[in-house]
Short mmCIF file of all heavy atoms in Angstrom, two decimals:
data_model
loop_
_atom_site.label_atom_id
_atom_site.label_comp_id
_atom_site.label_asym_id
_atom_site.label_seq_id
_atom_site.Cartn_x
_atom_site.Cartn_y
_atom_site.Cartn_z
N TRP A 45 -21.04 24.03 -41.27
CA TRP A 45 -20.24 25.05 -41.96
C TRP A 45 -19.75 24.52 -43.33
O TRP A 45 -19.73 25.23 -44.29
CB TRP A 45 -19.06 25.46 -41.10
CG TRP A 45 -18.14 26.46 -41.69
CD1 TRP A 45 -18.44 27.72 -42.05
CD2 TRP A 45 -16.75 26.25 -42.02
NE1 TRP A 45 -17.32 28.36 -42.59
CE2 TRP A 45 -16.27 27.45 -42.56
CE3 TRP A 45 -15.87 25.19 -41.88
CZ2 TRP A 45 -14.97 27.61 -43.01
CZ3 TRP A 45 -14.59 25.34 -42.32
CH2 TRP A 45 -14.14 26.53 -42.88
N LEU A 46 -19.36 23.22 -43.35
CA LEU A 46 -18.88 22.64 -44.59
C LEU A 46 -20.02 22.31 -45.55
O LEU A 46 -19.85 22.38 -46.77
CB LEU A 46 -18.07 21.36 -44.29
CG LEU A 46 -16.77 21.52 -43.56
CD1 LEU A 46 -16.18 20.18 -43.14
CD2 LEU A 46 -15.79 22.32 -44.39
N ILE A 47 -21.20 21.96 -45.02
CA ILE A 47 -22.35 21.57 -45.84
C ILE A 47 -23.52 22.46 -45.36
O ILE A 47 -24.34 22.03 -44.55
CB ILE A 47 -22.72 20.09 -45.69
CG1 ILE A 47 -21.48 19.22 -45.92
CG2 ILE A 47 -23.83 19.70 -46.63
CD1 ILE A 47 -21.67 17.80 -45.48
N PRO A 48 -23.62 23.70 -45.86
CA PRO A 48 -24.68 24.61 -45.38
C PRO A 48 -26.10 24.10 -45.58
O PRO A 48 -27.02 24.56 -44.86
CB PRO A 48 -24.43 25.89 -46.17
CG PRO A 48 -23.03 25.78 -46.69
CD PRO A 48 -22.76 24.32 -46.82
N SER A 49 -26.31 23.20 -46.50
CA SER A 49 -27.68 22.70 -46.77
C SER A 49 -28.04 21.49 -45.92
O SER A 49 -29.07 20.87 -46.10
CB SER A 49 -27.82 22.33 -48.23
OG SER A 49 -26.93 21.30 -48.55
N LEU A 50 -27.20 21.14 -44.95
CA LEU A 50 -27.43 20.01 -44.09
C LEU A 50 -28.70 20.21 -43.28
O LEU A 50 -28.80 21.20 -42.54
CB LEU A 50 -26.22 19.80 -43.12
CG LEU A 50 -26.20 18.54 -42.27
CD1 LEU A 50 -26.10 17.29 -43.17
CD2 LEU A 50 -25.03 18.57 -41.33
N PRO A 51 -29.70 19.32 -43.39
CA PRO A 51 -30.95 19.53 -42.67
C PRO A 51 -30.74 19.35 -41.16
O PRO A 51 -29.77 18.75 -40.69
CB PRO A 51 -31.86 18.42 -43.21
CG PRO A 51 -30.94 17.40 -43.77
CD PRO A 51 -29.71 18.11 -44.19
N LEU A 52 -31.70 19.84 -40.38
CA LEU A 52 -31.64 19.79 -38.93
C LEU A 52 -31.50 18.36 -38.43
O LEU A 52 -30.76 18.04 -37.52
CB LEU A 52 -32.85 20.48 -38.31
CG LEU A 52 -32.88 20.49 -36.77
CD1 LEU A 52 -31.70 21.26 -36.22
CD2 LEU A 52 -34.18 21.11 -36.29
N SER A 53 -32.23 17.44 -39.09
CA SER A 53 -32.16 16.03 -38.66
C SER A 53 -30.75 15.48 -38.85
O SER A 53 -30.28 14.70 -38.02
CB SER A 53 -33.16 15.18 -39.44
OG SER A 53 -32.89 15.25 -40.83
N GLY A 54 -30.05 15.88 -39.91
CA GLY A 54 -28.68 15.46 -40.12
C GLY A 54 -27.75 16.03 -39.08
O GLY A 54 -26.81 15.36 -38.63
N GLN A 55 -28.00 17.29 -38.73
CA GLN A 55 -27.17 17.94 -37.69
C GLN A 55 -27.31 17.25 -36.34
O GLN A 55 -26.32 16.96 -35.67
CB GLN A 55 -27.59 19.41 -37.55
CG GLN A 55 -27.37 20.25 -38.80
CD GLN A 55 -28.04 21.62 -38.64
OE1 GLN A 55 -27.99 22.22 -37.60
NE2 GLN A 55 -28.67 22.08 -39.72
N ILE A 56 -28.55 16.97 -35.99
CA ILE A 56 -28.82 16.28 -34.73
C ILE A 56 -28.24 14.88 -34.76
O ILE A 56 -27.68 14.41 -33.75
CB ILE A 56 -30.33 16.27 -34.42
CG1 ILE A 56 -30.78 17.70 -34.14
CG2 ILE A 56 -30.65 15.36 -33.23
CD1 ILE A 56 -32.29 17.88 -34.00
N LEU A 57 -28.33 14.20 -35.89
CA LEU A 57 -27.76 12.86 -36.01
C LEU A 57 -26.24 12.90 -35.83
O LEU A 57 -25.67 12.08 -35.11
CB LEU A 57 -28.12 12.26 -37.37
CG LEU A 57 -27.63 10.83 -37.60
CD1 LEU A 57 -28.30 9.86 -36.67
CD2 LEU A 57 -27.88 10.41 -39.05
N ILE A 58 -25.60 13.87 -36.44
CA ILE A 58 -24.13 13.99 -36.31
C ILE A 58 -23.77 14.30 -34.84
O ILE A 58 -22.88 13.69 -34.29
CB ILE A 58 -23.59 15.11 -37.25
CG1 ILE A 58 -23.67 14.64 -38.69
CG2 ILE A 58 -22.16 15.49 -36.86
CD1 ILE A 58 -23.37 15.70 -39.70
N PHE A 59 -24.53 15.22 -34.26
CA PHE A 59 -24.29 15.55 -32.84
C PHE A 59 -24.42 14.33 -31.97
O PHE A 59 -23.55 14.01 -31.13
CB PHE A 59 -25.28 16.62 -32.41
CG PHE A 59 -25.33 16.86 -30.92
CD1 PHE A 59 -24.26 17.39 -30.21
CD2 PHE A 59 -26.47 16.50 -30.19
CE1 PHE A 59 -24.31 17.61 -28.86
CE2 PHE A 59 -26.54 16.71 -28.83
CZ PHE A 59 -25.45 17.23 -28.16
N ALA A 60 -25.52 13.56 -32.15
CA ALA A 60 -25.79 12.39 -31.29
C ALA A 60 -24.72 11.32 -31.52
O ALA A 60 -24.19 10.75 -30.54
CB ALA A 60 -27.16 11.85 -31.58
N LEU A 61 -24.42 11.01 -32.76
CA LEU A 61 -23.47 9.95 -33.05
C LEU A 61 -22.06 10.28 -32.55
O LEU A 61 -21.40 9.45 -31.91
CB LEU A 61 -23.42 9.64 -34.57
CG LEU A 61 -24.63 8.87 -35.09
CD1 LEU A 61 -24.48 8.74 -36.61
CD2 LEU A 61 -24.76 7.53 -34.42
N VAL A 62 -21.60 11.47 -32.86
CA VAL A 62 -20.24 11.88 -32.40
C VAL A 62 -20.19 11.89 -30.88
O VAL A 62 -19.19 11.43 -30.29
CB VAL A 62 -19.85 13.22 -33.01
CG1 VAL A 62 -18.55 13.76 -32.39
CG2 VAL A 62 -19.68 13.10 -34.51
N SER A 63 -21.23 12.40 -30.23
CA SER A 63 -21.24 12.46 -28.77
C SER A 63 -21.18 11.05 -28.16
O SER A 63 -20.37 10.78 -27.26
CB SER A 63 -22.48 13.18 -28.29
OG SER A 63 -22.50 14.49 -28.72
N LEU A 64 -22.04 10.15 -28.67
CA LEU A 64 -22.08 8.81 -28.09
C LEU A 64 -20.82 8.03 -28.37
O LEU A 64 -20.30 7.36 -27.47
CB LEU A 64 -23.31 8.07 -28.62
CG LEU A 64 -24.66 8.58 -28.11
CD1 LEU A 64 -25.81 7.85 -28.75
CD2 LEU A 64 -24.73 8.44 -26.61
N VAL A 65 -20.30 8.13 -29.59
CA VAL A 65 -19.05 7.45 -29.92
C VAL A 65 -17.92 7.98 -29.05
O VAL A 65 -17.07 7.24 -28.55
CB VAL A 65 -18.72 7.53 -31.42
CG1 VAL A 65 -17.29 7.12 -31.70
CG2 VAL A 65 -19.71 6.73 -32.23
N SER A 66 -17.91 9.28 -28.82
CA SER A 66 -16.87 9.89 -27.99
C SER A 66 -16.97 9.41 -26.55
O SER A 66 -15.95 9.06 -25.93
CB SER A 66 -16.97 11.42 -28.01
OG SER A 66 -16.77 11.89 -29.33
N VAL A 67 -18.16 9.40 -26.00
CA VAL A 67 -18.38 8.96 -24.59
C VAL A 67 -17.96 7.51 -24.44
O VAL A 67 -17.17 7.18 -23.55
CB VAL A 67 -19.82 9.20 -24.15
CG1 VAL A 67 -20.11 8.47 -22.84
CG2 VAL A 67 -20.13 10.65 -24.01
N PHE A 68 -18.47 6.65 -25.30
CA PHE A 68 -18.17 5.24 -25.15
C PHE A 68 -16.69 4.91 -25.48
O PHE A 68 -16.08 4.06 -24.84
CB PHE A 68 -19.09 4.37 -25.99
CG PHE A 68 -20.51 4.33 -25.43
CD1 PHE A 68 -21.56 4.82 -26.17
CD2 PHE A 68 -20.74 3.83 -24.17
CE1 PHE A 68 -22.84 4.80 -25.67
CE2 PHE A 68 -22.00 3.82 -23.63
CZ PHE A 68 -23.07 4.27 -24.40
N GLY A 69 -16.13 5.62 -26.44
CA GLY A 69 -14.72 5.44 -26.73
C GLY A 69 -13.84 5.86 -25.57
O GLY A 69 -12.87 5.17 -25.21
N TRP A 70 -14.16 7.00 -24.96
CA TRP A 70 -13.41 7.46 -23.82
C TRP A 70 -13.55 6.50 -22.65
O TRP A 70 -12.55 6.14 -22.03
CB TRP A 70 -13.89 8.86 -23.40
CG TRP A 70 -13.31 9.29 -22.10
CD1 TRP A 70 -12.05 9.68 -21.83
CD2 TRP A 70 -13.97 9.27 -20.82
NE1 TRP A 70 -11.87 9.97 -20.52
CE2 TRP A 70 -13.07 9.71 -19.86
CE3 TRP A 70 -15.26 8.94 -20.42
CZ2 TRP A 70 -13.40 9.85 -18.52
CZ3 TRP A 70 -15.59 9.04 -19.09
CH2 TRP A 70 -14.65 9.50 -18.16
N ARG A 71 -14.78 6.03 -22.36
CA ARG A 71 -14.97 5.12 -21.25
C ARG A 71 -14.20 3.79 -21.47
O ARG A 71 -13.60 3.30 -20.55
CB ARG A 71 -16.47 4.81 -21.05
CG ARG A 71 -17.20 5.96 -20.40
CD ARG A 71 -18.63 5.61 -20.07
NE ARG A 71 -18.75 4.39 -19.26
CZ ARG A 71 -18.64 4.34 -17.94
NH1 ARG A 71 -18.41 5.44 -17.27
NH2 ARG A 71 -18.78 3.22 -17.28
N LYS A 72 -14.24 3.32 -22.69
CA LYS A 72 -13.55 2.06 -23.00
C LYS A 72 -12.05 2.22 -22.83
O LYS A 72 -11.39 1.34 -22.25
CB LYS A 72 -13.87 1.60 -24.40
CG LYS A 72 -13.26 0.26 -24.78
CD LYS A 72 -13.74 -0.22 -26.14
CE LYS A 72 -13.02 -1.41 -26.62
NZ LYS A 72 -13.30 -2.62 -25.93
N SER A 73 -11.50 3.29 -23.32
CA SER A 73 -10.04 3.49 -23.19
C SER A 73 -9.63 3.84 -21.76
O SER A 73 -8.58 3.43 -21.30
CB SER A 73 -9.57 4.59 -24.16
OG SER A 73 -10.06 5.83 -23.76
N ARG A 74 -10.46 4.61 -21.08
CA ARG A 74 -10.13 5.05 -19.72
C ARG A 74 -10.24 3.94 -18.68
O ARG A 74 -9.44 3.86 -17.77
CB ARG A 74 -11.05 6.22 -19.36
CG ARG A 74 -10.92 6.72 -17.94
CD ARG A 74 -9.63 7.47 -17.74
NE ARG A 74 -9.61 8.13 -16.46
CZ ARG A 74 -8.87 7.71 -15.44
NH1 ARG A 74 -8.10 6.67 -15.55
NH2 ARG A 74 -8.90 8.33 -14.31
N PHE A 75 -11.24 3.10 -18.82
CA PHE A 75 -11.52 2.14 -17.80
C PHE A 75 -11.19 0.71 -18.18
O PHE A 75 -11.63 -0.24 -17.54
CB PHE A 75 -13.01 2.21 -17.36
CG PHE A 75 -13.36 3.53 -16.74
CD1 PHE A 75 -14.20 4.41 -17.37
CD2 PHE A 75 -12.83 3.89 -15.50
CE1 PHE A 75 -14.53 5.62 -16.80
CE2 PHE A 75 -13.15 5.10 -14.93
CZ PHE A 75 -14.00 5.98 -15.57
N SER A 76 -10.38 0.54 -19.23
CA SER A 76 -10.00 -0.81 -19.60
C SER A 76 -8.97 -1.34 -18.62
O SER A 76 -8.26 -0.61 -17.94
CB SER A 76 -9.43 -0.83 -21.05
OG SER A 76 -8.16 -0.23 -21.05
N GLU A 77 -8.91 -2.67 -18.52
CA GLU A 77 -7.97 -3.32 -17.59
C GLU A 77 -6.51 -2.95 -17.92
O GLU A 77 -5.68 -2.92 -17.03
CB GLU A 77 -8.13 -4.83 -17.64
CG GLU A 77 -9.44 -5.31 -17.04
CD GLU A 77 -9.49 -5.15 -15.55
OE1 GLU A 77 -8.44 -5.30 -14.88
OE2 GLU A 77 -10.59 -4.88 -15.01
N ALA A 78 -6.21 -2.72 -19.18
CA ALA A 78 -4.85 -2.41 -19.60
C ALA A 78 -4.34 -1.08 -19.01
O ALA A 78 -3.14 -0.87 -18.87
CB ALA A 78 -4.74 -2.37 -21.12
N ASN A 79 -5.28 -0.17 -18.65
CA ASN A 79 -4.87 1.12 -18.13
C ASN A 79 -4.71 1.15 -16.62
O ASN A 79 -4.44 2.19 -16.07
CB ASN A 79 -5.90 2.18 -18.54
CG ASN A 79 -5.79 2.51 -19.98
OD1 ASN A 79 -4.75 2.29 -20.62
ND2 ASN A 79 -6.89 2.97 -20.59
N ILE A 80 -4.93 0.03 -15.98
CA ILE A 80 -4.81 0.01 -14.52
C ILE A 80 -3.37 -0.34 -14.17
O ILE A 80 -2.93 -1.47 -14.38
CB ILE A 80 -5.78 -1.03 -13.89
CG1 ILE A 80 -7.21 -0.59 -14.24
CG2 ILE A 80 -5.58 -1.09 -12.36
CD1 ILE A 80 -8.26 -1.60 -13.76
N HIS A 81 -2.65 0.66 -13.70
CA HIS A 81 -1.26 0.50 -13.31
C HIS A 81 -1.14 0.62 -11.81
O HIS A 81 -1.58 1.63 -11.25
CB HIS A 81 -0.37 1.52 -14.01
CG HIS A 81 -0.49 1.52 -15.49
ND1 HIS A 81 -0.02 0.47 -16.26
CD2 HIS A 81 -1.08 2.38 -16.33
CE1 HIS A 81 -0.28 0.73 -17.52
NE2 HIS A 81 -0.96 1.88 -17.60
N SER A 82 -0.57 -0.36 -11.18
CA SER A 82 -0.46 -0.34 -9.71
C SER A 82 0.77 -1.11 -9.29
O SER A 82 1.16 -2.08 -9.90
CB SER A 82 -1.71 -0.98 -9.09
OG SER A 82 -1.55 -1.10 -7.70
N ASP A 83 1.40 -0.65 -8.21
CA ASP A 83 2.51 -1.38 -7.67
C ASP A 83 2.03 -2.55 -6.82
O ASP A 83 2.80 -3.41 -6.40
CB ASP A 83 3.43 -0.48 -6.86
CG ASP A 83 2.71 0.23 -5.74
OD1 ASP A 83 1.46 0.26 -5.74
OD2 ASP A 83 3.40 0.79 -4.85
N THR A 84 0.72 -2.61 -6.54
CA THR A 84 0.10 -3.72 -5.84
C THR A 84 -1.17 -4.16 -6.57
O THR A 84 -2.29 -3.86 -6.14
CB THR A 84 -0.26 -3.33 -4.40
OG1 THR A 84 -1.06 -2.16 -4.44
CG2 THR A 84 0.96 -3.09 -3.53
N PRO A 85 -1.01 -4.82 -7.74
CA PRO A 85 -2.16 -5.15 -8.54
C PRO A 85 -3.11 -6.13 -7.89
O PRO A 85 -4.28 -6.23 -8.25
CB PRO A 85 -1.56 -5.77 -9.80
CG PRO A 85 -0.20 -6.21 -9.40
CD PRO A 85 0.25 -5.29 -8.29
N ASP A 86 -2.66 -6.89 -6.88
CA ASP A 86 -3.55 -7.85 -6.22
C ASP A 86 -4.14 -7.30 -4.94
O ASP A 86 -4.70 -8.06 -4.12
CB ASP A 86 -2.77 -9.16 -5.89
CG ASP A 86 -2.32 -9.86 -7.14
OD1 ASP A 86 -3.06 -9.77 -8.16
OD2 ASP A 86 -1.24 -10.48 -7.12
N LEU A 87 -4.10 -5.99 -4.77
CA LEU A 87 -4.58 -5.37 -3.53
C LEU A 87 -6.03 -5.73 -3.27
O LEU A 87 -6.40 -6.09 -2.15
CB LEU A 87 -4.42 -3.87 -3.63
CG LEU A 87 -4.92 -3.06 -2.39
CD1 LEU A 87 -4.07 -3.43 -1.17
CD2 LEU A 87 -4.84 -1.57 -2.68
N ASN A 88 -6.89 -5.63 -4.24
CA ASN A 88 -8.30 -5.93 -4.07
C ASN A 88 -8.68 -7.36 -4.42
O ASN A 88 -9.84 -7.71 -4.50
CB ASN A 88 -9.16 -4.94 -4.85
CG ASN A 88 -9.05 -3.56 -4.29
OD1 ASN A 88 -8.99 -3.39 -3.07
ND2 ASN A 88 -9.02 -2.57 -5.15
N ASN A 89 -7.70 -8.19 -4.69
CA ASN A 89 -7.93 -9.59 -4.95
C ASN A 89 -6.90 -10.37 -4.14
O ASN A 89 -5.93 -10.87 -4.68
CB ASN A 89 -7.84 -9.91 -6.45
CG ASN A 89 -8.40 -11.26 -6.74
OD1 ASN A 89 -8.61 -12.10 -5.87
ND2 ASN A 89 -8.62 -11.53 -8.04
N ARG A 90 -7.14 -10.45 -2.87
CA ARG A 90 -6.20 -11.03 -1.94
C ARG A 90 -5.88 -12.49 -2.23
O ARG A 90 -4.83 -12.99 -1.86
CB ARG A 90 -6.66 -10.83 -0.53
CG ARG A 90 -6.72 -9.35 -0.15
CD ARG A 90 -7.18 -9.12 1.25
NE ARG A 90 -6.29 -9.78 2.18
CZ ARG A 90 -6.65 -10.13 3.41
NH1 ARG A 90 -7.88 -9.93 3.82
NH2 ARG A 90 -5.81 -10.70 4.22
N LEU A 91 -6.80 -13.21 -2.84
CA LEU A 91 -6.54 -14.61 -3.13
C LEU A 91 -5.37 -14.81 -4.04
O LEU A 91 -4.59 -15.76 -3.88
CB LEU A 91 -7.81 -15.28 -3.71
CG LEU A 91 -9.02 -15.35 -2.78
CD1 LEU A 91 -10.17 -16.05 -3.52
CD2 LEU A 91 -8.68 -16.07 -1.53
#
Side-chain angles (χ1 to χ4, degrees):
W45 178 64
L46 294 172
I47 309 167
S49 63
L50 188 64
L52 181 61
S53 59
Q55 297 170 40
I56 293 173
L57 182 66
I58 290 171
F59 167 68
L61 286 177
V62 170
S63 297
L64 290 176
V65 167
S66 298
V67 167
F68 287 119
W70 170 75
R71 285 187 54 85
K72 183 174 172 70
S73 69
R74 174 73 171 106
F75 296 112
S76 73
E77 290 290 326
N79 287 337
I80 299 174
H81 304 290
S82 173
D83 57 345
T84 54
D86 295 327
L87 178 65
N88 291 323
N89 194 345
R90 295 181 59 203
L91 295 181

